[in-house]
Amino acid sequence: DDDRICKLDEFIRQTEENPLTRRCLVAYTFVMGGGGLTRPPDHNDFEPLTRDTDRSGYADPEGDCTYLNIKENMEDGKSPTYLKFGADLARDYGIDYIGKLDDDSVLSLKLLFKLLEEDLPPAPYNTRIYAGAPRLSRIKNHVYAAGEFYFLSNDLADYIGNDLTAEDREELRISTHVEDLDMGSFVHSHPRPIKYVNLAAYQIYKHPLKTEQAFREFWETKMYELPGRGTKMTWFNYCKGVMDGSAF
């Protein structure tokens, strides 16, 4: 157990009690769309941003989950709605970065804390930071962070979730809606310079681990393999995709 990481509810409790003595540094929550089929996939109205239950009325008894008031989806607005939620929390509870981790990724907490302590400035000195393993987009002509793990500074999350409207974000997406590529488009629509933190050669997570057995085995016996040392830029896959027409 490490009291530097905790459930979101516990992070909020400690902050409200006394932010100067807060032990928890990283709050986690499992995010899902809790709205019914009639709700939009990207929060675009004045309805509450979250719900107490999922659309069937179920609430996680462990308090690990956040139910966004949108229709569940992967590519159509869940991530920016989550950033809107995270940016609002950041403003109220002093959070410097908002991260997203896929459920088939295992993250090294030891390396995460090392990264936070040694390589990342705190707010308000962390403006427009975007971090992850880079991918290249032929269609959008930019670099974006691979969706298995990325994070943004609180101001950039606020820009994407609150300054951009759902209509703005829809115009920026590619027609097939690819979550991580589209997130890069949202980021790069900012009028000021973006500070990209390249995690390709210092991967503090393992991805993909598609089965519970593979996930548990890596967590219990193979965490020593991290950090991963990949190529700093995936030029080969990009060039191959351009040649065969599959690259986005």
Side-chain angles (χ1 to χ4, degrees), residues 9-42:
D9 285 350
E10 174 61 16
F11 183 91
I12 291 173
R13 186 195 69 78
Q14 290 185 23
T15 304
E16 291 178 340
E17 185 176 271
N18 188 340
L20 298 179
T21 61
R22 183 176 67 198
R23 300 180 307 281
C24 184
L25 301 177
V26 174
Y28 73 85
T29 186
F30 296 94
V31 180
M32 58 194 72
L37 296 177
T38 59
R39 290 293 300 150
D42 192 346

Side-chain angles (χ1 to χ4, degrees), residues 197-215:
V197 178
N198 187 344
L199 296 181
Y202 188 73
Q203 290 190 351
I204 63 175
Y205 62 92
K206 178 67 175 180
H207 174 272
L209 297 166
K210 293 295 187 181
T211 67
E212 181 178 348
Q213 179 181 351
F215 193 100

Side-chain angles (χ1 to χ4, degrees), residues 24-224:
C24 184
L25 301 177
V26 174
Y28 73 85
T29 186
F30 296 94
V31 180
M32 58 194 72
L37 296 177
T38 59
R39 290 293 300 150
D42 192 346
H43 193 267
N44 65 352
D45 54 26
F46 295 102
E47 292 297 312
L49 188 54
T50 61
R51 294 167 44 93
D52 294 331
T53 69
D54 68 9
R55 63 175 183 156
S56 63
Y58 173 80
D60 170 39
E62 299 296 326
D64 283 332
C65 297
T66 294
Y67 303 101
L68 300 174
N69 191 19
I70 56 171
K71 179 168 55 179
E72 173 59 28
N73 68 92
M74 185 171 70
E75 313 280 4
D76 301 328
K78 182 177 178 180
S79 294
T81 300
Y82 160 63
L83 291 183
K84 179 188 290 191
F85 169 73
D88 292 348
L89 285 175
R91 183 171 51 252
D92 293 339
Y93 296 101
I95 297 171
D96 295 343
Y97 295 92
I98 315 297
K100 174 240 177 184
L101 182 74
D102 279 357
D103 60 7
D104 59 349
S105 297
V106 170
L107 180 68
S108 168
L109 299 179
K110 176 182 176 181
L111 295 175
L112 174 63
F113 287 122
K114 183 178 177 65
L115 184 72
L116 289 170
E117 292 166 3
E118 298 182 6
D119 299 300
L120 297 173
Y125 308 107
N126 63 337
T127 55
R128 301 184 304 281
I129 289 179
Y130 178 38
R135 301 289 185 267
L136 295 161
S137 171
R138 174 179 61 87
I139 292 176
K140 288 293 188 175
N141 194 30
H142 64 51
V143 175
Y144 63 95
E148 60 257 25
F149 175 64
Y150 60 77
F151 61 86
L152 306 91
S153 53
N154 53 13
D155 67 305
L156 198 50
D158 186 51
Y159 168 76
I160 293 168
N162 289 307
D163 289 353
L164 293 180
T165 66
E167 291 74 21
D168 293 333
R169 294 189 289 266
E170 183 59 30
E171 288 184 6
L172 290 165
R173 291 185 176 97
I174 65 171
S175 60
T176 52
H177 289 198
V178 178
E179 186 271 334
D180 49 6
L181 189 161
D182 290 336
M183 183 59 65
S185 299
F186 306 154
V187 168
H188 291 295
S189 72
H190 197 289
R192 298 289 303 282
I194 301 301
K195 304 157 192 174
Y196 192 88
V197 178
N198 187 344
L199 296 181
Y202 188 73
Q203 290 190 351
I204 63 175
Y205 62 92
K206 178 67 175 180
H207 174 272
L209 297 166
K210 293 295 187 181
T211 67
E212 181 178 348
Q213 179 181 351
F215 193 100
R216 288 183 177 275
E217 181 181 354
F218 192 90
W219 176 260
E220 294 170 358
T221 65
K222 296 183 179 180
M223 293 296 284
Y224 68 88

